[in-house]
Amino acid sequence: MSSPDIASILENSRELDRLRKEQEEVLVEINKLHKKLQATPEVVEKPGDNSLSRLKSLYIQARDLSEREVTISNLLLSQLDTFLPSGPPGQQRRKMDGNDQKRKRMKSDSDISRLSPSMRSHIEAFVSLKDEQVAARVTSDAEKDEWFVVKVINFDEKTKEFEVLDEEPGDEEEGSGQKKYKLPASCIIPFPKRNDPASTPEFPAGRQVLAVYPGTTALYKATVISTPRKRKSDEYLLEFDDDEEDGALPQRTVPFHKVVQLPEGHRQ
């Protein structure tokens, strides 16, 4: 297993821990509201009380966190399954005759069958991204990572790689046509659904994110200044790193569906 693969697994493990901590915090808030409503159910009839809408919002947040946890868990299973040997740890290697080969194939089929529900859910989530725009890390070197908006052409279930299309390559790139890449799942981040802002968890003010810079198809690190909910719109107010103008960082608006979580260890 190469270092980038290990880094990706560790990054997803940390994300899983973060999601579980957020779930615990949300459950604490839900339980507080439950106790309040059980003790004083008449409170919901008072003008201006938002207990039920708040409870609904917490339920939606808990559901989204749970779905995200399933996605990350399936991704980790896929990553580990790719690198772990098919046989039990420490199994001695020996030359196999025809019957051994047949038995091995039968065992392999049985293993796939046992893993298929979880793996199938994971693969279907990737396959469903076909024709969708996603954030993709198309280059990575010792100094920086470059993320762009690309279109998913296909997901290869055997190699577990995405084939993506950069529909608007930069002027400095060789050639003038569109450019294709084959990338592992660790280099892909799906965007939030544009038509469902209510079910998309918000990044709080002060959180660092990865966002599409206005007027481009490139993503850069930014800090959340104000959220869509607070602004009563579908846009974040962000400050992009290294975006200094006249000695200050300008604040720019970016649609919520063009803002994603900042990958662990991002270099810019």
Side-chain angles (χ1 to χ4, degrees):
M1 192 185 300
S2 65
S3 295
D5 296 320
I6 295 174
S8 177
I9 289 174
L10 293 175
E11 175 185 326
N12 286 322
S13 297
R14 286 190 288 267
E15 170 64 2
L16 198 60
D17 288 338
R18 187 191 68 79
L19 287 169
R20 286 173 178 168
K21 288 177 182 177
E22 283 196 31
Q23 283 179 312
E24 290 174 1
E25 292 172 359
V26 171
L27 287 175
V28 168
E29 294 301 314
I30 288 175
N31 288 334
K32 286 180 181 178
L33 265 179
H34 283 173
K35 291 179 180 179
K36 175 184 175 182
L37 294 175
Q38 288 171 356
T40 55
E42 67 279 1
V43 73
V44 298
E45 299 177 1
K46 294 182 179 180
D49 181 78
N50 66 344
S51 298
L52 294 181
S53 60
R54 172 64 176 157
L55 188 60
K56 179 181 178 181
S57 175
L58 288 169
Y59 282 149
I60 291 174
Q61 190 177 354
R63 180 200 63 190
D64 293 339
L65 287 169
S66 178
E67 290 175 353
R68 177 67 176 161
E69 181 184 359
V70 170
T71 300
I72 296 296
S73 297
N74 286 337
L75 180 55
L76 280 166
L77 283 173
S78 176
Q79 290 175 317
L80 292 171
D81 184 62
T82 300
F83 298 107
L84 287 175
S86 58
Q91 182 180 20
Q92 289 186 342
R93 297 182 180 180
R94 59 185 177 85
K95 185 176 180 180
M96 293 182 287
D97 59 24
N99 288 333
D100 287 336
Q101 291 281 10
K102 183 177 179 181
R103 283 193 292 271
K104 182 181 179 182
R105 283 196 298 272
M106 291 174 64
K107 182 179 184 302
S108 177
D109 291 342
S110 175
D111 289 341
I112 292 173
S113 176
R114 286 198 299 269
L115 288 174
S116 60
S118 144
M119 292 299 295
R120 177 53 51 187
S121 173
H122 164 65
I123 291 174
E124 284 177 353
F126 285 161
V127 172
S128 69
L129 292 174
K130 183 177 180 180
D131 296 327
E132 296 284 340
Q133 285 191 331
V134 297
R137 188 180 68 205
V138 296
T139 61
S140 180
D141 54 38
E143 296 182 357
K144 64 179 180 178
D145 300 327
E146 293 185 338
W147 289 80
F148 297 106
V149 178
V150 300
K151 180 180 179 181
V152 175
I153 299 174
N154 184 51
F155 175 71
D156 191 320
E157 297 184 26
K158 292 183 179 179
T159 63
K160 295 182 176 63
E161 284 186 324
F162 283 91
E163 183 178 6
V164 301
L165 178 67
D166 185 356
E167 299 177 286
E168 300 180 25
D171 296 335
E172 71 278 3
E173 294 191 24
E174 296 181 4
S176 57
Q178 299 174 333
K179 194 169 183 179
K180 291 183 180 180
Y181 300 90
K182 285 192 175 181
L183 303 170
S186 59
C187 291
I188 300 293
I189 303 178
F191 284 118
K193 293 180 181 179
R194 182 199 301 252
N195 59 355
D196 194 13
S199 66
T200 302
E202 280 194 340
F203 298 107
R207 175 73 62 86
Q208 290 189 318
V209 296
L210 197 65
V212 178
Y213 190 86
T216 75
T217 57
L219 291 92
Y220 299 98
K221 184 166 70 171
T223 302
V224 176
I225 302 302
S226 186
T227 66
R229 188 173 301 161
K230 186 174 181 179
R231 291 166 49 79
K232 297 182 180 178
S233 72
D234 291 337
E235 296 178 321
Y236 281 93
L237 189 64
L238 305 176
E239 283 185 355
F240 285 88
D241 286 19
D242 306 321
D243 188 30
E244 189 171 320
E245 288 184 359
D246 299 325
L249 290 177
Q251 297 181 350
R252 305 186 187 275
T253 56
V254 178
F256 79 94
H257 59 271
K258 294 299 182 183
V259 180
V260 297
Q261 178 179 325
L262 183 70
E264 190 79 22
H266 175 74
R267 296 163 298 183
Q268 180 170 304

